[in-house]
């Protein structure tokens, strides 16, 4: 019971569940405005991480970026039931790797939390093969700007990546809300 309770507290602190007395844990559903707010914050922080990495990249960082980009390239063209999930998982790992390599531990902790809060919405935003291909092209541009040390461009590109996911996820959420309203 103890470890289960602790796990639920961690999920509650991350905004993924709400603990209701006598009802237990309930998975939270954010409104489109809340989703937009969280993605906006993630956009700024991800941009900062990309900028810092571009300014202080090492040979090891460049190798890591190129390796992860190659893996993402393979997943971007993948089709099938698991294609979206696998791509999003790789994107999350890639984004977290960039922020970890930026050298700012607090930034990394904040971005990690925001990635977890937006994960289900990122899955929505990257659900189509066309959207994953567009996303991959943006990641390719981001890696190029970091490798070449173009810090401002890296920041803009990282923010753009998150903004595109936000826009697509919100459109899909609004469509779902509209469909539910139409059914009623």
């Amino acid at each position: 019971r103890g470890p289960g309770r602790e796990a639920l507290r961690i999920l509650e602190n991350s905004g993924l569940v709400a603990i209701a007395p006598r009802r237990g844990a309930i998975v939270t559903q954010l409104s489109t405005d809340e989703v937009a707010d969280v993605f906006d914050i993630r956009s700024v922080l991800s941009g900062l991480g990309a900028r810092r990495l571009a300014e202080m990249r090492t040979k090891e960082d460049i190798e890591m970026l190129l390796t992860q980009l190659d893996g993402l390239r393979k997943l971007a063209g993948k089709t099938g039931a698991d294609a979206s999930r696998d791509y999003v998982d790789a994107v999350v790992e890639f984004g977290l790797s960039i922020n970890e390599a930026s050298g700012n531990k607090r930034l990394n902790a904040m971005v990690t939390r925001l990635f977890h809060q937006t994960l289900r919405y990122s899955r929505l935003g990257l659900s189509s093969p066309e959207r994953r291909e567009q996303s991959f092209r943006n990641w390719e541009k981001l890696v190029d700007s970091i490798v070449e040390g173009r810090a401002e461009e890296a920041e803009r590109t990282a923010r753009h990546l998150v903004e595109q996911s936000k826009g697509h996820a919100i459109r899909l959420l609004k469509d779902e809300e509209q469909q539910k309203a139409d059914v009623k």
Side-chain angles (χ1 to χ4, degrees):
R1 284 184 130 187
R5 250 188 248 128
E6 183 60 28
L8 288 173
R9 279 192 200 108
I10 291 169
L11 291 172
E12 183 179 38
N13 287 337
S14 294
L16 298 173
V17 300
I19 307 295
R22 295 186 186 72
R23 293 186 64 210
I26 302 164
V27 175
T28 58
Q29 296 295 324
L30 300 178
S31 71
T32 53
D33 289 340
E34 291 169 322
V35 169
D37 289 346
V38 175
F39 269 101
D40 286 345
I41 295 165
R42 194 179 119 199
S43 169
V44 171
L45 294 178
S46 294
L48 176 60
R51 173 189 275 278
R52 285 180 56 108
L53 182 55
E55 291 170 344
M56 54 182 257
R57 71 212 177 283
T58 65
K59 181 182 177 194
E60 291 79 21
D61 294 331
I62 291 170
E63 289 172 6
M64 175 270 299
L65 291 169
L66 295 174
T67 299
Q68 288 195 331
L69 183 65
D70 188 51
L72 203 58
R73 176 182 291 112
K74 293 171 185 164
L75 292 171
K78 185 178 170 185
T79 58
D82 297 335
S84 179
R85 185 198 70 222
D86 293 346
Y87 184 82
V88 172
D89 289 348
V91 163
V92 169
E93 182 181 335
F94 206 172
L96 293 177
S97 295
I98 287 172
N99 281 288
E100 185 177 343
S102 77
N104 186 323
K105 290 181 183 181
R106 289 180 190 255
L107 172 68
N108 189 41
M110 286 186 233
V111 171
T112 298
R113 183 172 178 198
L114 292 171
F115 260 109
H116 291 297
Q117 287 181 346
T118 58
L119 182 59
R120 63 187 133 179
Y121 305 104
S122 294
R123 288 194 196 289
L124 277 175
L126 293 167
S127 58
S128 73
E130 299 80 20
R131 180 62 192 99
R132 289 191 297 275
E133 186 58 40
Q134 179 185 45
S135 167
F136 172 74
R137 286 191 304 275
N138 289 331
W139 280 100
E140 196 171 39
K141 183 178 177 184
L142 175 60
V143 168
D144 183 57
S145 60
I146 292 172
V147 167
E148 296 298 321
R150 296 188 304 266
E152 286 181 29
E153 182 181 319
E155 181 175 8
R156 277 192 312 273
T157 304
R159 291 182 72 164
H160 180 70
L161 258 162
V162 177
E163 290 293 326
Q164 280 192 325
S165 286
K166 174 186 93 171
H168 198 70
I170 287 174
R171 278 191 298 281
L172 291 173
L173 283 172
K174 285 182 178 181
D175 289 349
E176 281 181 10
E177 289 171 2
Q178 186 60 49
Q179 288 173 357
K180 287 179 186 176
D182 291 345
V183 169
K184 291 179 182 182

